[in-house]
Amino acid sequence: MFTSLIKAFTNLFKKPQTIDYPLTPILKDKEYRGLIEYGEASCIYCLKCEKACPPGSILFVPVENPPENEKNKKGLQYHYNPYLCIYCGECVRACPKPDEALWQSNKKPSIAIKSDKVNEDWFVLEKLKKEE
Ligand code: SF4
Ligand code: SF4
């Protein structure tokens, strides 16, 4: 009891263990694995990342009337949902061109922009993908 009182008293003069987030940003570890980044110019459209993604947060959806000069893209457009992503890195491991076509940055998803619109848009893409 006496020891606890001393501990409580000394804690009054210590710095807080918590930070004033989001006003004070959280320092990330240099190995932090965050948002997936895509390098369209290096992508070979093998779709290995899409197949490897456990929650389905990468979708290659057909584009209507793709331009002639983009035939190498197989008429597909890359889409990524950062709110579905679990940052496991499986897509990057599956990609034959890691660091060029697909890599995991140390960026965090923004907590401020999530809205129903993100999900609504994603449902449309999933539907298009199923109809493919
Ligand atoms: S990090 Fe994991 S969840 Fe996120 S897109 Fe890649 S495979 Fe999918
Ligand atoms: S695995 Fe890599 S190269 Fe293949 S479609 Fe995905 S990003 Fe492109």
Side-chain angles (χ1 to χ4, degrees):
M1 170 82 177
F2 186 66
T3 318
S4 300
L5 277 174
I6 291 177
K7 181 111 182 140
F9 185 73
T10 53
N11 278 346
L12 289 174
F13 302 98
K14 283 187 179 166
K15 279 186 181 173
Q17 293 294 312
T18 52
I19 62 161
D20 194 10
Y21 181 80
L23 296 178
T24 308
I26 296 172
L27 291 177
K28 285 174 280 189
D29 189 273
K30 65 179 172 41
E31 301 294 330
Y32 177 82
R33 298 189 311 180
L35 290 169
I36 296 298
E37 305 266 1
Y38 175 63
E40 187 181 76
S42 300
C43 181
I44 56 170
Y45 296 85
C46 63
L47 308 193
K48 286 186 178 172
C49 53
E50 184 188 74
K51 289 181 189 123
C53 179
S57 46
I58 290 179
L59 289 179
F60 282 87
V61 176
V63 186
E64 267 184 54
N65 307 319
E68 271 299 308
N69 60 349
E70 293 188 356
K71 279 258 188 283
N72 59 331
K73 295 183 181 178
K74 301 179 184 170
L76 298 170
Q77 172 75 48
Y78 166 88
H79 296 273
Y80 169 60
N81 185 337
Y83 301 111
L84 268 183
C85 180
I86 56 173
Y87 311 103
C88 61
E90 286 302 317
C91 52
V92 177
R93 276 186 281 279
C95 180
K97 299 182 89 180
D99 299 329
E100 293 172 44
L102 208 65
W103 63 96
Q104 199 155 14
S105 74
N106 70 352
K107 290 183 199 154
K108 288 176 166 215
S110 164
I111 54 167
I113 59 163
K114 189 169 183 188
S115 72
D116 285 339
K117 187 83 174 69
V118 174
N119 281 335
E120 278 169 27
D121 289 351
W122 195 255
F123 294 150
V124 172
L125 291 172
E126 284 179 332
K127 198 163 169 255
L128 281 171
K129 184 76 189 175
K130 277 185 194 144
E131 289 166 2
E132 194 186 328

